[in-house]
Amino acid sequence: MIIRTGDLGGPITMKTAKQVILGTAGHIDHGKTSLVKALTGVDTDRLKEEKERGITIELGFTFFDLPSGIRLGIVDVPGHEKFVKHMVAGVWGIDFVALIIAADEGVMPQTREHLDICTLLKVKKGLIVLTKTDLVDRELLEMVTEDVVDTVKNSFLKDAPIVPVSSTTKDGIPELISVLDHLANDVVERPSEGLFRLPIDRVFVMKGFGTVVTGTLVSGSLSVGETVEILPPGIEGKVRNLQVYNRSVEKAVAGQRTAVNLQGVETSAIERGNALVRLHTFTPTRLMDAYLEVLPSAQRPVKHRTILRFHTGTTLTMASVFLLDRDELAPGEGGFVQLRLSDPVVALPQDRFVIRGSSAIQTLGGGVVLDTHPAKHKRNVPTVIKDLELLKDGSDEQLLSQHIVRSGMGGIAQEDLFDRLALPPKAIQALLRKIVDRGDVLVMDPERMKVIDKGQYQHLKERVLQQLKEFHQRSPMKSGLAKEELRTKLPMEVDVKLFQILLNGLIQSKEVVLEKDKLRLPGHEISSVDEKGLVKRVEEAIVKGDLQPPSSRELSEAWSEGEEGIRAVLEHLVHEGVLIKVKSGMYFHRIPFERLKKELIAYLKSHKEITTPQFKEMTAVSRKYVIPLIEYFDQIKVTLRLGDKRILRTVSQEPEKGG
Ligand SMILES: Nc1nc2c(ncn2[C@@H]2O[C@H](COP(=O)(O)OP(=O)(O)OP(=O)(O)O)[C@@H](O)[C@H]2O)c(=O)[nH]1
Ligand SMILES: [Mg+2]
């Protein structure tokens, strides 16, 4: 007799290859483990302590084949309130749940808490099993059933089958098997081309084999011989052997309970809560954006910066909850949050999580991960919330675009997008192609398929133009800015390739001019800022000064012009090759300077050496100019100083005519 059949879907088809995972849930001692034993013959309570205390502590695993041929894997969870963390780990990744309620006790605290957890983790379907029916009469069973129907009326189990059984007398077990078969038949198998991930729920040593880890393979597939990585510790190992339901296999796929024998991995280095992934596919994170819902039944609101227990996959860590658009979330409310975790975790957007109190341990709420690698957000910023709304409710394509926008001015490579979306890499590749073809993003490195959002690229372009504008304002007499100097003024994540693409684009569109390795805006010409014809006047004054040229200060005083401006003109003329800067503030015109240089070389060739007084006589100028000049000749390696004399440094510098 089935109390309520619910919607059992269509007719069952024979599916020998199909594998589906069922999880148990329910209050302590309500008969979960006994029911699993009644179904499979296996006692999943293996630990000595479990046997002695008669309770489940760790997760139990077993399986059996349903009449249709579907293999049903079972994760048996503990009901004790102290072990809810194991329960969350066990339920994360199951296909459907059996909420188990003892007919002699009815709905109890962990019945509700486990139901809440399954709801928060978005377990899509399930059934209700009333156990220990041999201990109650018909009347009591009816009362309990009413209570149960009332408890689940607003949950995903509101229309679920209700099956009364006795694990002791086996009453109702055949009916239960038939209901399980219908539900399993209806489960949509997980795609095996997803990004491989196995949250580890057990680690142990097997004699003669070494380290074995087990878990529910939640997405993708894994084959013997592959190199894998255990995160967060970042330990590499090789898959020596794979087992699915006690049988060695070459390949394990999503939806299977899997045991992985790892070569080259110390058992002590890994623990429950770590994740087994393929190399370079995930980066653990300590900061994530999420949407958090507080249970209507929570005793108190969740306040900004509260520290709570955070459960996802098989991991438990502490999280500081930053509420992004309010100061508290009341029971029944939901909002966008940034979670700062005390330990790094492996997660994907769309992953579900549960939060529980840190001292009064009680399930408070949970939600969905939206971004696993966000920037730190300021609170109460409308654009931040708008972006997160898109990540929460947008289409896959909008999500992908949004992640590209979020990668900023540095762009993002295709492989780094694989762990931003809960989609198989192949699907992400195809979506990215579509976005590129539409022209919303720019490919900056076709080899790695590194892309940048058009809007971000535009920002970057504007940055370059702004930098050049500011540069011209600062140094009106400089012809332009060196490429490398410009690069240092852009965000660090802008790599050489992107920088080159950016410059080429700007040069091609004539927004920027490249001249002698210097970049400038097309409107910038020195003559255009030189309204007073200073360039010409300065050059004339320096020529006139011959070997005793006026300083910038002297010119500024003589003409009542700002010294800054004159200095800029002098520097510009040095840059143009008209003047030679012998020392700070002292500029010679090239013509008299070259004449002097020739005279000096000729003198040294015939006299072999020269003293400072002799050089002073040659130039016929004051010491103020003599010393800087002769030192400059040392500096440019025309002369070499030996004590108080100087000799010619390189004879070959000016080859003798006909010699
Ligand atoms: N009479 C009767 N006793 C049952 C039945 N199912 C379980 N029990 C008894 O109830 C007690 C608890 O059963 P378990 O199966 O260990 O309960 P559990 O839900 O797995 O408990 P935890 O895992 O610790 O939460 C045991 O003593 C069982 O023998 C049943 O259908 N009829
Ligand atoms: Mg148990």
Side-chain angles (χ1 to χ4, degrees), residues 26-35 45 54-57 76-80 100 131-135 165-169:
H27 197 73
I28 184 164
D29 260 357
H30 275 203
K32 297 178 290 297
T33 307
S34 305
L35 180 68
D45 280 351
I55 60 166
T56 304
I57 297 170
D76 181 41
V77 309
H80 196 297
I100 288 157
T131 54
K132 308 197 189 183
T133 49
D134 56 298
L135 299 181
V165 301
S166 165
S167 303
T168 311
T169 65

PDB file of all heavy atoms in Angstrom, residues 26-35 45 54-57 76-80 100 131-135 165-169, ligand 1:
ATOM      1  N   GLY A  26      17.082  12.647   7.116  1.00  0.00           N
ATOM      2  CA  GLY A  26      16.100  12.444   8.174  1.00  0.00           C
ATOM      3  C   GLY A  26      16.717  12.441   9.562  1.00  0.00           C
ATOM      4  O   GLY A  26      17.933  12.332   9.724  1.00  0.00           O
ATOM      5  N   HIS A  27      15.839  12.535  10.553  1.00  0.00           N
ATOM      6  CA  HIS A  27      16.232  12.654  11.955  1.00  0.00           C
ATOM      7  C   HIS A  27      16.974  11.397  12.449  1.00  0.00           C
ATOM      8  O   HIS A  27      16.792  10.309  11.911  1.00  0.00           O
ATOM      9  CB  HIS A  27      14.981  12.886  12.804  1.00  0.00           C
ATOM     10  CG  HIS A  27      15.275  13.406  14.173  1.00  0.00           C
ATOM     11  ND1 HIS A  27      15.693  14.697  14.387  1.00  0.00           N
ATOM     12  CD2 HIS A  27      15.211  12.804  15.394  1.00  0.00           C
ATOM     13  CE1 HIS A  27      15.868  14.873  15.696  1.00  0.00           C
ATOM     14  NE2 HIS A  27      15.591  13.728  16.325  1.00  0.00           N
ATOM     15  N   ILE A  28      17.766  11.593  13.483  1.00  0.00           N
ATOM     16  CA  ILE A  28      18.542  10.495  14.059  1.00  0.00           C
ATOM     17  C   ILE A  28      17.618   9.342  14.485  1.00  0.00           C
ATOM     18  O   ILE A  28      16.503   9.570  14.973  1.00  0.00           O
ATOM     19  CB  ILE A  28      19.398  10.997  15.254  1.00  0.00           C
ATOM     20  CG1 ILE A  28      20.291   9.867  15.784  1.00  0.00           C
ATOM     21  CG2 ILE A  28      18.526  11.571  16.363  1.00  0.00           C
ATOM     22  CD1 ILE A  28      21.407  10.357  16.678  1.00  0.00           C
ATOM     23  N   ASP A  29      18.092   8.119  14.209  1.00  0.00           N
ATOM     24  CA  ASP A  29      17.386   6.899  14.644  1.00  0.00           C
ATOM     25  C   ASP A  29      16.059   6.641  13.926  1.00  0.00           C
ATOM     26  O   ASP A  29      15.283   5.805  14.365  1.00  0.00           O
ATOM     27  CB  ASP A  29      17.097   6.953  16.163  1.00  0.00           C
ATOM     28  CG  ASP A  29      18.130   6.131  16.941  1.00  0.00           C
ATOM     29  OD1 ASP A  29      18.985   5.516  16.268  1.00  0.00           O
ATOM     30  OD2 ASP A  29      18.071   6.112  18.177  1.00  0.00           O
ATOM     31  N   HIS A  30      15.812   7.373  12.866  1.00  0.00           N
ATOM     32  CA  HIS A  30      14.533   7.156  12.177  1.00  0.00           C
ATOM     33  C   HIS A  30      14.566   5.982  11.196  1.00  0.00           C
ATOM     34  O   HIS A  30      13.597   5.726  10.512  1.00  0.00           O
ATOM     35  CB  HIS A  30      14.053   8.452  11.503  1.00  0.00           C
ATOM     36  CG  HIS A  30      13.302   9.340  12.443  1.00  0.00           C
ATOM     37  ND1 HIS A  30      12.403  10.293  12.046  1.00  0.00           N
ATOM     38  CD2 HIS A  30      13.329   9.407  13.810  1.00  0.00           C
ATOM     39  CE1 HIS A  30      11.893  10.906  13.097  1.00  0.00           C
ATOM     40  NE2 HIS A  30      12.456  10.383  14.189  1.00  0.00           N
ATOM     41  N   GLY A  31      15.735   5.308  11.135  1.00  0.00           N
ATOM     42  CA  GLY A  31      15.786   4.064  10.368  1.00  0.00           C
ATOM     43  C   GLY A  31      16.362   4.191   8.966  1.00  0.00           C
ATOM     44  O   GLY A  31      16.075   3.362   8.097  1.00  0.00           O
ATOM     45  N   LYS A  32      17.230   5.200   8.742  1.00  0.00           N
ATOM     46  CA  LYS A  32      17.823   5.388   7.412  1.00  0.00           C
ATOM     47  C   LYS A  32      18.733   4.217   7.048  1.00  0.00           C
ATOM     48  O   LYS A  32      18.597   3.598   5.988  1.00  0.00           O
ATOM     49  CB  LYS A  32      18.621   6.711   7.364  1.00  0.00           C
ATOM     50  CG  LYS A  32      17.765   7.943   7.583  1.00  0.00           C
ATOM     51  CD  LYS A  32      18.569   9.229   7.583  1.00  0.00           C
ATOM     52  CE  LYS A  32      19.472   9.411   8.798  1.00  0.00           C
ATOM     53  NZ  LYS A  32      18.759   9.503  10.082  1.00  0.00           N
ATOM     54  N   THR A  33      19.675   3.930   7.957  1.00  0.00           N
ATOM     55  CA  THR A  33      20.645   2.881   7.668  1.00  0.00           C
ATOM     56  C   THR A  33      19.963   1.508   7.583  1.00  0.00           C
ATOM     57  O   THR A  33      20.302   0.683   6.721  1.00  0.00           O
ATOM     58  CB  THR A  33      21.763   2.885   8.732  1.00  0.00           C
ATOM     59  OG1 THR A  33      22.285   4.211   8.815  1.00  0.00           O
ATOM     60  CG2 THR A  33      22.887   1.930   8.378  1.00  0.00           C
ATOM     61  N   SER A  34      18.970   1.301   8.457  1.00  0.00           N
ATOM     62  CA  SER A  34      18.239   0.019   8.421  1.00  0.00           C
ATOM     63  C   SER A  34      17.507  -0.151   7.096  1.00  0.00           C
ATOM     64  O   SER A  34      17.444  -1.256   6.539  1.00  0.00           O
ATOM     65  CB  SER A  34      17.216  -0.050   9.553  1.00  0.00           C
ATOM     66  OG  SER A  34      17.841   0.174  10.783  1.00  0.00           O
ATOM     67  N   LEU A  35      16.973   0.948   6.586  1.00  0.00           N
ATOM     68  CA  LEU A  35      16.253   0.878   5.319  1.00  0.00           C
ATOM     69  C   LEU A  35      17.208   0.541   4.169  1.00  0.00           C
ATOM     70  O   LEU A  35      16.889  -0.287   3.303  1.00  0.00           O
ATOM     71  CB  LEU A  35      15.537   2.209   5.039  1.00  0.00           C
ATOM     72  CG  LEU A  35      14.750   2.235   3.740  1.00  0.00           C
ATOM     73  CD1 LEU A  35      13.543   1.305   3.812  1.00  0.00           C
ATOM     74  CD2 LEU A  35      14.272   3.655   3.405  1.00  0.00           C
ATOM     75  N   ASP A  45      26.953   1.164   8.164  1.00  0.00           N
ATOM     76  CA  ASP A  45      27.645   1.629   9.376  1.00  0.00           C
ATOM     77  C   ASP A  45      28.833   0.703   9.618  1.00  0.00           C
ATOM     78  O   ASP A  45      28.687  -0.382  10.166  1.00  0.00           O
ATOM     79  CB  ASP A  45      26.689   1.594  10.587  1.00  0.00           C
ATOM     80  CG  ASP A  45      25.752   2.799  10.609  1.00  0.00           C
ATOM     81  OD1 ASP A  45      25.964   3.728   9.801  1.00  0.00           O
ATOM     82  OD2 ASP A  45      24.825   2.810  11.434  1.00  0.00           O
ATOM     83  N   GLY A  54      25.265   2.750  17.863  1.00  0.00           N
ATOM     84  CA  GLY A  54      24.039   2.521  17.102  1.00  0.00           C
ATOM     85  C   GLY A  54      23.604   3.725  16.293  1.00  0.00           C
ATOM     86  O   GLY A  54      22.434   3.898  15.985  1.00  0.00           O
ATOM     87  N   ILE A  55      24.569   4.606  15.978  1.00  0.00           N
ATOM     88  CA  ILE A  55      24.237   5.763  15.142  1.00  0.00           C
ATOM     89  C   ILE A  55      25.206   5.837  13.968  1.00  0.00           C
ATOM     90  O   ILE A  55      26.265   5.216  13.994  1.00  0.00           O
ATOM     91  CB  ILE A  55      24.316   7.101  15.922  1.00  0.00           C
ATOM     92  CG1 ILE A  55      25.734   7.333  16.469  1.00  0.00           C
ATOM     93  CG2 ILE A  55      23.278   7.134  17.024  1.00  0.00           C
ATOM     94  CD1 ILE A  55      25.963   8.754  16.927  1.00  0.00           C
ATOM     95  N   THR A  56      24.803   6.587  12.954  1.00  0.00           N
ATOM     96  CA  THR A  56      25.707   6.819  11.823  1.00  0.00           C
ATOM     97  C   THR A  56      26.509   8.081  12.103  1.00  0.00           C
ATOM     98  O   THR A  56      25.958   9.070  12.595  1.00  0.00           O
ATOM     99  CB  THR A  56      24.902   6.974  10.523  1.00  0.00           C
ATOM    100  OG1 THR A  56      24.096   5.808  10.362  1.00  0.00           O
ATOM    101  CG2 THR A  56      25.820   7.122   9.321  1.00  0.00           C
ATOM    102  N   ILE A  57      27.824   8.024  11.818  1.00  0.00           N
ATOM    103  CA  ILE A  57      28.693   9.200  11.998  1.00  0.00           C
ATOM    104  C   ILE A  57      29.193   9.659  10.634  1.00  0.00           C
ATOM    105  O   ILE A  57      28.991  10.800  10.224  1.00  0.00           O
ATOM    106  CB  ILE A  57      29.873   8.869  12.943  1.00  0.00           C
ATOM    107  CG1 ILE A  57      29.332   8.514  14.338  1.00  0.00           C
ATOM    108  CG2 ILE A  57      30.838  10.055  13.016  1.00  0.00           C
ATOM    109  CD1 ILE A  57      30.357   7.951  15.291  1.00  0.00           C
ATOM    110  N   ASP A  76      24.253   7.127   2.365  1.00  0.00           N
ATOM    111  CA  ASP A  76      23.496   7.147   3.621  1.00  0.00           C
ATOM    112  C   ASP A  76      24.135   8.172   4.551  1.00  0.00           C
ATOM    113  O   ASP A  76      25.332   8.134   4.816  1.00  0.00           O
ATOM    114  CB  ASP A  76      23.516   5.753   4.274  1.00  0.00           C
ATOM    115  CG  ASP A  76      22.717   5.735   5.576  1.00  0.00           C
ATOM    116  OD1 ASP A  76      21.628   6.352   5.606  1.00  0.00           O
ATOM    117  OD2 ASP A  76      23.193   5.114   6.550  1.00  0.00           O
ATOM    118  N   VAL A  77      23.318   9.106   5.024  1.00  0.00           N
ATOM    119  CA  VAL A  77      23.864  10.198   5.828  1.00  0.00           C
ATOM    120  C   VAL A  77      23.492  10.024   7.300  1.00  0.00           C
ATOM    121  O   VAL A  77      22.518   9.354   7.624  1.00  0.00           O
ATOM    122  CB  VAL A  77      23.363  11.574   5.317  1.00  0.00           C
ATOM    123  CG1 VAL A  77      23.586  11.728   3.828  1.00  0.00           C
ATOM    124  CG2 VAL A  77      21.892  11.783   5.666  1.00  0.00           C
ATOM    125  N   PRO A  78      24.281  10.644   8.200  1.00  0.00           N
ATOM    126  CA  PRO A  78      23.932  10.587   9.620  1.00  0.00           C
ATOM    127  C   PRO A  78      22.817  11.576   9.954  1.00  0.00           C
ATOM    128  O   PRO A  78      22.721  12.635   9.342  1.00  0.00           O
ATOM    129  CB  PRO A  78      25.234  10.978  10.319  1.00  0.00           C
ATOM    130  CG  PRO A  78      26.018  11.756   9.326  1.00  0.00           C
ATOM    131  CD  PRO A  78      25.566  11.321   7.956  1.00  0.00           C
ATOM    132  N   GLY A  79      22.002  11.244  10.935  1.00  0.00           N
ATOM    133  CA  GLY A  79      20.915  12.129  11.326  1.00  0.00           C
ATOM    134  C   GLY A  79      21.262  13.004  12.523  1.00  0.00           C
ATOM    135  O   GLY A  79      20.631  14.033  12.753  1.00  0.00           O
ATOM    136  N   HIS A  80      22.289  12.608  13.289  1.00  0.00           N
ATOM    137  CA  HIS A  80      22.678  13.355  14.485  1.00  0.00           C
ATOM    138  C   HIS A  80      22.991  14.804  14.129  1.00  0.00           C
ATOM    139  O   HIS A  80      23.677  15.063  13.159  1.00  0.00           O
ATOM    140  CB  HIS A  80      23.913  12.687  15.100  1.00  0.00           C
ATOM    141  CG  HIS A  80      24.174  13.116  16.519  1.00  0.00           C
ATOM    142  ND1 HIS A  80      24.464  14.414  16.845  1.00  0.00           N
ATOM    143  CD2 HIS A  80      24.182  12.405  17.687  1.00  0.00           C
ATOM    144  CE1 HIS A  80      24.653  14.495  18.166  1.00  0.00           C
ATOM    145  NE2 HIS A  80      24.477  13.280  18.692  1.00  0.00           N
ATOM    146  N   ILE A 100      13.446  10.329   5.252  1.00  0.00           N
ATOM    147  CA  ILE A 100      12.996   9.191   6.048  1.00  0.00           C
ATOM    148  C   ILE A 100      12.467   9.657   7.404  1.00  0.00           C
ATOM    149  O   ILE A 100      13.143  10.377   8.137  1.00  0.00           O
ATOM    150  CB  ILE A 100      14.151   8.172   6.164  1.00  0.00           C
ATOM    151  CG1 ILE A 100      14.300   7.516   4.774  1.00  0.00           C
ATOM    152  CG2 ILE A 100      13.875   7.134   7.246  1.00  0.00           C
ATOM    153  CD1 ILE A 100      15.621   6.935   4.488  1.00  0.00           C
ATOM    154  N   THR A 131       9.088   5.018   8.034  1.00  0.00           N
ATOM    155  CA  THR A 131       9.650   3.743   8.503  1.00  0.00           C
ATOM    156  C   THR A 131       9.011   3.321   9.825  1.00  0.00           C
ATOM    157  O   THR A 131       8.250   4.073  10.433  1.00  0.00           O
ATOM    158  CB  THR A 131      11.172   3.869   8.705  1.00  0.00           C
ATOM    159  OG1 THR A 131      11.384   4.972   9.568  1.00  0.00           O
ATOM    160  CG2 THR A 131      11.882   4.105   7.383  1.00  0.00           C
ATOM    161  N   LYS A 132       9.402   2.131  10.242  1.00  0.00           N
ATOM    162  CA  LYS A 132       8.961   1.560  11.529  1.00  0.00           C
ATOM    163  C   LYS A 132       7.436   1.459  11.614  1.00  0.00           C
ATOM    164  O   LYS A 132       6.845   1.652  12.677  1.00  0.00           O
ATOM    165  CB  LYS A 132       9.507   2.392  12.710  1.00  0.00           C
ATOM    166  CG  LYS A 132      11.014   2.629  12.659  1.00  0.00           C
ATOM    167  CD  LYS A 132      11.544   3.081  14.005  1.00  0.00           C
ATOM    168  CE  LYS A 132      13.006   3.520  13.900  1.00  0.00           C
ATOM    169  NZ  LYS A 132      13.584   3.897  15.180  1.00  0.00           N
ATOM    170  N   THR A 133       6.796   1.200  10.475  1.00  0.00           N
ATOM    171  CA  THR A 133       5.324   1.106  10.491  1.00  0.00           C
ATOM    172  C   THR A 133       4.855  -0.084  11.316  1.00  0.00           C
ATOM    173  O   THR A 133       3.702  -0.120  11.755  1.00  0.00           O
ATOM    174  CB  THR A 133       4.760   0.973   9.060  1.00  0.00           C
ATOM    175  OG1 THR A 133       5.490  -0.054   8.386  1.00  0.00           O
ATOM    176  CG2 THR A 133       4.874   2.266   8.292  1.00  0.00           C
ATOM    177  N   ASP A 134       5.759  -1.040  11.561  1.00  0.00           N
ATOM    178  CA  ASP A 134       5.369  -2.188  12.405  1.00  0.00           C
ATOM    179  C   ASP A 134       5.140  -1.763  13.849  1.00  0.00           C
ATOM    180  O   ASP A 134       4.549  -2.490  14.640  1.00  0.00           O
ATOM    181  CB  ASP A 134       6.446  -3.287  12.324  1.00  0.00           C
ATOM    182  CG  ASP A 134       7.821  -2.783  12.692  1.00  0.00           C
ATOM    183  OD1 ASP A 134       8.348  -1.871  11.975  1.00  0.00           O
ATOM    184  OD2 ASP A 134       8.405  -3.256  13.674  1.00  0.00           O
ATOM    185  N   LEU A 135       5.598  -0.554  14.210  1.00  0.00           N
ATOM    186  CA  LEU A 135       5.451  -0.096  15.599  1.00  0.00           C
ATOM    187  C   LEU A 135       4.210   0.761  15.828  1.00  0.00           C
ATOM    188  O   LEU A 135       3.947   1.159  16.951  1.00  0.00           O
ATOM    189  CB  LEU A 135       6.695   0.693  16.036  1.00  0.00           C
ATOM    190  CG  LEU A 135       8.032  -0.038  16.032  1.00  0.00           C
ATOM    191  CD1 LEU A 135       9.148   0.889  16.511  1.00  0.00           C
ATOM    192  CD2 LEU A 135       7.976  -1.284  16.919  1.00  0.00           C
ATOM    193  N   VAL A 165       6.908   1.818   5.156  1.00  0.00           N
ATOM    194  CA  VAL A 165       7.607   0.525   5.147  1.00  0.00           C
ATOM    195  C   VAL A 165       7.974   0.103   6.560  1.00  0.00           C
ATOM    196  O   VAL A 165       7.960   0.917   7.487  1.00  0.00           O
ATOM    197  CB  VAL A 165       8.932   0.574   4.333  1.00  0.00           C
ATOM    198  CG1 VAL A 165       8.703   0.970   2.885  1.00  0.00           C
ATOM    199  CG2 VAL A 165       9.943   1.493   4.985  1.00  0.00           C
ATOM    200  N   SER A 166       8.343  -1.145   6.668  1.00  0.00           N
ATOM    201  CA  SER A 166       9.006  -1.615   7.879  1.00  0.00           C
ATOM    202  C   SER A 166      10.252  -2.362   7.434  1.00  0.00           C
ATOM    203  O   SER A 166      10.172  -3.321   6.670  1.00  0.00           O
ATOM    204  CB  SER A 166       8.101  -2.560   8.677  1.00  0.00           C
ATOM    205  OG  SER A 166       8.911  -3.251   9.627  1.00  0.00           O
ATOM    206  N   SER A 167      11.389  -1.886   7.900  1.00  0.00           N
ATOM    207  CA  SER A 167      12.634  -2.560   7.532  1.00  0.00           C
ATOM    208  C   SER A 167      12.749  -3.884   8.279  1.00  0.00           C
ATOM    209  O   SER A 167      13.462  -4.789   7.852  1.00  0.00           O
ATOM    210  CB  SER A 167      13.836  -1.671   7.853  1.00  0.00           C
ATOM    211  OG  SER A 167      13.696  -0.441   7.181  1.00  0.00           O
ATOM    212  N   THR A 168      12.043  -3.985   9.389  1.00  0.00           N
ATOM    213  CA  THR A 168      12.091  -5.208  10.178  1.00  0.00           C
ATOM    214  C   THR A 168      11.282  -6.319   9.499  1.00  0.00           C
ATOM    215  O   THR A 168      11.781  -7.427   9.303  1.00  0.00           O
ATOM    216  CB  THR A 168      11.538  -4.948  11.601  1.00  0.00           C
ATOM    217  OG1 THR A 168      12.179  -3.775  12.120  1.00  0.00           O
ATOM    218  CG2 THR A 168      11.823  -6.114  12.533  1.00  0.00           C
ATOM    219  N   THR A 169      10.018  -5.999   9.146  1.00  0.00           N
ATOM    220  CA  THR A 169       9.162  -7.032   8.555  1.00  0.00           C
ATOM    221  C   THR A 169       9.240  -7.061   7.024  1.00  0.00           C
ATOM    222  O   THR A 169       8.645  -7.925   6.388  1.00  0.00           O
ATOM    223  CB  THR A 169       7.689  -6.791   8.931  1.00  0.00           C
ATOM    224  OG1 THR A 169       7.282  -5.544   8.330  1.00  0.00           O
ATOM    225  CG2 THR A 169       7.498  -6.711  10.448  1.00  0.00           C
TER     226      THR A 169
HETATM  227  N1  LIG B   1      10.819  -1.951  14.641  1.00  0.00           N
HETATM  228  C1  LIG B   1      11.557  -1.334  13.758  1.00  0.00           C
HETATM  229  N2  LIG B   1      12.733  -0.845  14.119  1.00  0.00           N
HETATM  230  C2  LIG B   1      13.473  -0.234  13.196  1.00  0.00           C
HETATM  231  C3  LIG B   1      13.060  -0.096  11.868  1.00  0.00           C
HETATM  232  N3  LIG B   1      13.999   0.590  11.200  1.00  0.00           N
HETATM  233  C4  LIG B   1      14.988   0.842  12.077  1.00  0.00           C
HETATM  234  N4  LIG B   1      14.696   0.370  13.280  1.00  0.00           N
HETATM  235  C5  LIG B   1      15.512   0.485  14.482  1.00  0.00           C
HETATM  236  O1  LIG B   1      15.718   1.842  14.792  1.00  0.00           O
HETATM  237  C6  LIG B   1      17.014   2.078  15.277  1.00  0.00           C
HETATM  238  C7  LIG B   1      17.736   3.124  14.455  1.00  0.00           C
HETATM  239  O2  LIG B   1      17.905   2.667  13.139  1.00  0.00           O
HETATM  240  P1  LIG B   1      19.009   3.218  12.173  1.00  0.00           P
HETATM  241  O3  LIG B   1      18.732   2.577  10.862  1.00  0.00           O
HETATM  242  O4  LIG B   1      20.359   3.059  12.739  1.00  0.00           O
HETATM  243  O5  LIG B   1      18.620   4.744  12.179  1.00  0.00           O
HETATM  244  P2  LIG B   1      19.344   5.868  11.378  1.00  0.00           P
HETATM  245  O6  LIG B   1      18.305   6.770  10.852  1.00  0.00           O
HETATM  246  O7  LIG B   1      20.282   5.308  10.390  1.00  0.00           O
HETATM  247  O8  LIG B   1      20.151   6.641  12.516  1.00  0.00           O
HETATM  248  P3  LIG B   1      21.337   7.681  12.314  1.00  0.00           P
HETATM  249  O9  LIG B   1      22.071   7.286  11.127  1.00  0.00           O
HETATM  250  O10 LIG B   1      22.170   7.676  13.523  1.00  0.00           O
HETATM  251  O11 LIG B   1      20.667   8.996  12.127  1.00  0.00           O
HETATM  252  C8  LIG B   1      17.726   0.706  15.242  1.00  0.00           C
HETATM  253  O12 LIG B   1      17.683   0.157  16.497  1.00  0.00           O
HETATM  254  C9  LIG B   1      16.900  -0.083  14.277  1.00  0.00           C
HETATM  255  O13 LIG B   1      16.908  -1.478  14.532  1.00  0.00           O
HETATM  256  C10 LIG B   1      11.793  -0.631  11.510  1.00  0.00           C
HETATM  257  O14 LIG B   1      11.325  -0.523  10.371  1.00  0.00           O
HETATM  258  N5  LIG B   1      11.077  -1.251  12.486  1.00  0.00           N
END
